[in-house]
Amino acid sequence: MTKIALQQDRKLDAIVLGRAGVDLYARESNTDMADISGFNKFVGGSAANIAVAISKLGGNVGFIGCVADDAFGGYVKQYMSGQGINLDGMMTDSSGSRTSVAFTEMKPSDCTVLIYRNNASDLTIKPEQVDPEYIANAKVLVVTGTALSESPSREATLIAMEHARRSNTLVVLDVDYRPYSWRTDVDASIYYGIAAGLSDIVIGNREEFDMMETVLAPGNTDDDATADRFLRSNTQVVVVKAGEFGSKVYCRDGHKFQQGIFRVDVQKPFGSGDSFAGGLIWTLANGGELEDGVKHGTAAAAINVSGNSCTEAMPTKEQLFDFIETREKSL
Ligand SMILES: Nc1ncnc2c1ncn2[C@@H]1O[C@H](COP(=O)(O)OP(=O)(O)OP(=O)(O)O)[C@@H](O)[C@H]1O
Ligand SMILES: O=C(O)C[C@@H](O)[C@H](O)C(=O)CO
């Protein structure tokens, strides 16, 4: 079993950096966008999803991000506070930006997702708004990579990672690649490469690592080669997620393992990555082994994809361990 060393004497288990927005999920299942009668509203955004995931498991979690001074921004802050998330790092922008909004169908696969990020508030956060003391008070800094897609958020994200490194705060990069956020894959691979070099743990799926290797190894699809390439500089662990095929985990010392999935009745494919990250990071922040963290993340993801939202479908600690116990008994 593998232990990831981190500073335990910290006020916060984790701080998550990136977007917090609104998810509008189809009211009807298995219905095309054109035929949906309406939507159910939730808080979303990859970083907010991960923060809620950790909080619902019982973690003390903070946030670094920015929402607009509009009704959606107020809704997001109210919900996240209600979930017990510390918002000392949440900025509010009054320059006319807009809180990110995602519209989704509700189908087990081939789900349309439309995310409106025109002048997105989360990308307005500035380096001078990132507090190094706040980061020094957390065991883990979780960065969701879309925050790298535009300045000044790009610089704010990189300085946050530098602050974390200097204060021995573990750095996790969840790649969170959204192609429409980037001018080209070459641009993306450059900044993701810099961020990966500042990270202890890099979590991505095959498509995301393909993007990250656009310049370094175009056309490579071999996970082992990808892991070898990114297990450099500060990076101790690379996790390659593979949807219903589970995940592969590679450690700097050569140890590697695979984790299969927990089979469920899937309502939607998305949210799996954020819940996986939340379960993994919560486990590590509480001194758990890497293997257990990946199992917990895998179970949290299965629970989430069988639900009808992201944030609200994140499991509590009791739900997570009941799910695992029930499934393991039936093996
Ligand atoms: N259909 C499924 N059933 C059960 N577990 C799943 C399913 N799809 C994904 N998972 C679990 O979730 C983990 C992460 O999912 P995935 O590989 O899809 O990440 P992702 O591409 O970041 O997802 P997304 O961006 O859609 O949230 C997988 O490694 C697996 O453990
Ligand atoms: O990450 C986002 O901005 C949208 C998510 O909250 C949403 O649940 C999703 O993952 C759709 O793909």
Side-chain angles (χ1 to χ4, degrees), residues 174 178 205 208 240-247 259-264 266 269-274 276 297-298 301-302 305:
D174 187 300
R178 303 280 176 165
N205 60 35
E208 291 170 333
V240 184
K241 301 175 290 182
E244 59 188 351
F245 298 103
S247 56
Q259 172 68 52
I261 66 169
F262 293 93
R263 292 233 164 261
V264 290
V266 178
F270 44 81
S272 49
D274 297 338
F276 176 89
T298 300
V305 297

Side-chain angles (χ1 to χ4, degrees), residues 14 25 43-44 46 65 71-72 74 114 119 127 170 178 188 193 224 249 287 298-299 321 325:
Y25 286 167
V43 163
S46 186
F72 270 175
L114 298 173
N119 193 12
L170 194 83
R178 303 280 176 165
D224 292 0
V249 184
T298 300
F321 288 114
E325 186 183 355

Side-chain angles (χ1 to χ4, degrees), residues 47-66:
N49 292 339
I50 296 171
V52 170
I54 296 169
S55 186
K56 287 188 81 171
L57 288 168
N60 290 319
V61 60
F63 197 82
I64 295 174
C66 187

Side-chain angles (χ1 to χ4, degrees), residues 11-12 61-64 80-81 84-90 134:
K11 186 181 114 184
L12 294 169
V61 60
F63 197 82
I64 295 174
M80 292 177 73
S81 294
I85 296 166
N86 173 293
L87 295 185
D88 290 354
M90 176 72 93
Y134 188 49

Side-chain angles (χ1 to χ4, degrees), residues 35 56 90 101 141 262 286:
D35 303 320
K56 287 188 81 171
M90 176 72 93
V101 178
L141 172 70
F262 293 93
N286 285 278

Side-chain angles (χ1 to χ4, degrees), residues 18-285:
R19 68 184 174 286
V22 177
D23 281 349
L24 295 171
Y25 286 167
R27 195 175 288 158
E28 293 91 358
S29 298
N30 301 308
T31 305
D32 293 341
M33 195 65 89
D35 303 320
I36 293 164
S37 68
F39 299 88
N40 295 318
K41 173 171 70 39
F42 303 94
V43 163
S46 186
N49 292 339
I50 296 171
V52 170
I54 296 169
S55 186
K56 287 188 81 171
L57 288 168
N60 290 319
V61 60
F63 197 82
I64 295 174
C66 187
V67 291
D69 64 342
D70 61 15
F72 270 175
Y75 162 62
V76 167
K77 289 190 289 189
Q78 181 184 359
Y79 176 83
M80 292 177 73
S81 294
Q83 289 292 322
I85 296 166
N86 173 293
L87 295 185
D88 290 354
M90 176 72 93
M91 302 297 131
T92 303
D93 176 67
S94 310
S95 70
S97 67
R98 281 287 177 267
T99 304
S100 187
V101 178
F103 290 82
T104 79
E105 292 176 339
M106 191 59 65
K107 297 175 180 176
S109 59
D110 303 323
C111 230
T112 295
V113 176
L114 298 173
I115 304 186
Y116 286 79
R117 296 183 50 66
N118 320 48
N119 193 12
S121 304
D122 50 278
L123 296 177
T124 68
I125 191 164
K126 301 172 185 64
E128 56 269 29
Q129 292 176 313
V130 176
D131 178 358
E133 284 309 306
Y134 188 49
I135 292 170
N137 271 316
K139 300 174 187 176
V140 186
L141 172 70
V142 187
V143 165
T144 55
T146 296
L148 294 160
S149 62
E150 230 176 84
S151 296
S153 172
R154 174 180 294 159
E155 291 76 11
T157 301
L158 292 174
I159 200 73
M161 299 176 91
E162 292 281 4
H163 290 326
R165 294 239 62 90
R166 273 199 298 279
S167 55
N168 286 322
T169 297
L170 194 83
V171 181
V172 178
L173 172 65
D174 187 300
V175 175
D176 170 41
Y177 174 53
R178 303 280 176 165
Y180 55 74
S181 294
W182 291 88
R183 187 181 69 89
T184 66
D185 276 359
V186 171
D187 289 6
S189 68
I190 291 166
Y191 290 106
Y192 275 107
I194 295 168
L198 290 168
S199 303
D200 296 280
I201 299 176
V202 179
I203 307 172
N205 60 35
R206 186 63 252 163
E207 178 202 7
E208 291 170 333
F209 281 112
D210 289 348
M211 170 276 298
M212 290 173 71
E213 291 181 315
T214 299
V215 175
L216 291 169
N220 173 59
T221 58
D222 179 70
D223 294 337
D224 292 0
T226 295
D228 285 345
R229 192 166 293 111
F230 286 98
L231 283 170
R232 58 176 171 83
S233 188
N234 294 296
T235 308
Q236 306 175 58
V237 179
V238 168
V239 180
V240 184
K241 301 175 290 182
E244 59 188 351
F245 298 103
S247 56
K248 293 179 186 174
V249 184
Y250 299 83
C251 301
R252 186 94 175 239
D253 63 5
H255 173 51
K256 63 182 183 178
F257 62 93
Q258 296 193 41
Q259 172 68 52
I261 66 169
F262 293 93
R263 292 233 164 261
V264 290
D265 178 16
V266 178
Q267 298 303 310
K268 59 182 178 63
F270 44 81
S272 49
D274 297 338
S275 42
F276 176 89
L280 169 56
I281 291 154
W282 171 76
T283 305
L284 297 182

